[in-house]
């Protein structure tokens, strides 16, 4: 009887820890979601010195829907703010016949943006590289800038830019509905990894 009772006590304690862990995880993800939403609803300054368009998948030579949404947002801003330059940032990955930067440049030109206003950064493979390599191409890094990416990605991108000394605001592009849930889950994990890297250098 004592052995059975002890087993029940251990089981109850284990279940309690599991429940506490699940609740804590849900609260943590909820806080991250709030930060993501807040970052994607900030006022967007006019006539910014530059905007950085972060790369996403290219299928051969055709931008994925996620990347196309970013390009469209950047084009809208550049048409309305003639003094802003664009830095298109993204290297060439598996399954891509051209770099993400080249795909963005071509599409922006197709939408009427002058090639002289577009600077290509085509070596980066991660978000932090996107921003770090783009920083080297900004005429005045102390000026106000913008980062164009999908809404779920704005918070982390702007935080990374801040850690590199850039003063930026995000321009949120839509996230395709078909990848919405997957994108947010992956982003929660990516933000957590970023936090750990900043805190502990992991």
């Amino acid at each position: 009887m004592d052995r059975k009772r002890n087993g029940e006590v251990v089981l109850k304690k284990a279940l309690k820890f599991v429940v506490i862990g699940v609740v804590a995880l849900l609260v943590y993800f909820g806080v991250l979601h709030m930060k993501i939403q807040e970052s994607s609803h900030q006022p967007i300054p006019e006539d910014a010195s530059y905007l950085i368009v972060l790369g996403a998948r290219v299928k051969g030579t055709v931008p994925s829907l996620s990347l196309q949404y970013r390009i469209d947002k950047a084009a809208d801003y550049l048409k309305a703010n003639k003094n802003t330059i664009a830095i298109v940032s993204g290297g060439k990955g598996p399954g891509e016949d051209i770099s993400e930067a080249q795909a963005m440049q071509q599409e922006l030109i197709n939408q009427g943006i002058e090639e002289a206003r577009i600077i290509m950064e085509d070596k980066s493979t991660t978000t932090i590289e996107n921003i770090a390599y783009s920083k080297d191409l900004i005429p005045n890094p102390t000026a106000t800038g913008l980062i164009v990416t999908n809404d779920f990605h704005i918070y982390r991108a702007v935080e990374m830019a801040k850690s590199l000394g850039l003063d930026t605001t995000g321009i949120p592009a839509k996230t395709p509905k078909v990848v919405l849930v997957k994108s947010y889950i992956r982003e929660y994990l990516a933000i957590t990894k970023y936090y750990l890297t900043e805190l502990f250098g992991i």
Side-chain angles (χ1 to χ4, degrees):
M1 284 294 289
D2 286 343
R3 194 175 287 175
K4 183 179 178 183
R5 220 174 265 162
N6 288 338
E8 288 175 351
V9 170
V10 170
L11 181 60
K12 284 180 180 178
K13 285 184 177 179
L15 286 173
K16 185 178 178 180
F17 281 122
V18 169
V19 170
I20 291 171
V22 169
V23 170
L25 196 61
L26 290 174
V27 170
Y28 172 68
F29 283 160
V31 170
L32 291 187
H33 192 79
M34 275 183 12
K35 288 181 178 292
I36 290 170
Q37 292 303 310
E38 287 172 2
S39 294
S40 63
H41 289 87
Q42 296 296 313
I44 299 169
E46 295 181 0
D47 207 26
S49 175
Y50 65 89
L51 62 79
I52 301 170
V53 194
L54 302 186
R57 186 182 172 200
V58 173
K59 301 174 182 178
T61 61
V62 180
S64 61
L65 189 54
S66 290
L67 184 55
Q68 188 63 53
Y69 286 156
R70 300 181 190 190
I71 295 166
D72 293 344
K73 276 289 182 181
D76 288 345
Y77 187 90
L78 291 167
K79 289 173 187 175
N81 298 270
K82 301 295 186 181
N83 295 320
T84 304
I85 64 163
I87 300 171
V88 289
S89 178
K92 180 181 172 184
E96 298 178 336
D97 295 334
I98 59 175
S99 70
E100 294 164 8
Q102 187 178 349
M104 289 187 276
Q105 181 200 47
Q106 290 176 355
E107 186 58 29
L108 285 174
I109 291 171
N110 290 342
Q111 294 198 35
I113 306 303
E114 302 91 334
E115 187 174 352
R117 295 175 65 193
I118 306 169
I119 300 172
M120 281 210 302
E121 182 291 296
D122 61 1
K123 303 300 181 188
S124 57
T125 59
T126 64
T127 300
I128 193 67
E129 287 182 357
N130 284 147
I131 299 167
Y133 296 170
S134 295
K135 181 183 177 181
D136 294 337
L137 303 174
I138 297 168
N140 180 9
T142 63
T144 299
L146 300 167
I147 294 178
V148 184
T149 187
N150 302 103
D151 48 14
F152 71 88
H153 193 210
I154 289 286
Y155 170 68
R156 180 163 57 100
V158 169
E159 286 296 304
M160 286 180 168
K162 191 187 301 180
S163 74
L164 292 170
L166 295 177
D167 175 20
T168 61
T169 302
I171 298 183
K174 289 189 300 183
T175 301
K177 290 181 180 178
V178 68
V179 297
L180 191 64
V181 173
K182 181 174 74 172
S183 295
Y184 271 90
I185 291 172
R186 287 178 62 185
E187 190 61 17
Y188 298 150
L189 298 176
I191 293 170
T192 301
K193 181 181 177 183
Y194 170 67
Y195 285 163
L196 292 172
T197 300
E198 286 293 294
L199 288 170
F200 306 112
I202 295 175

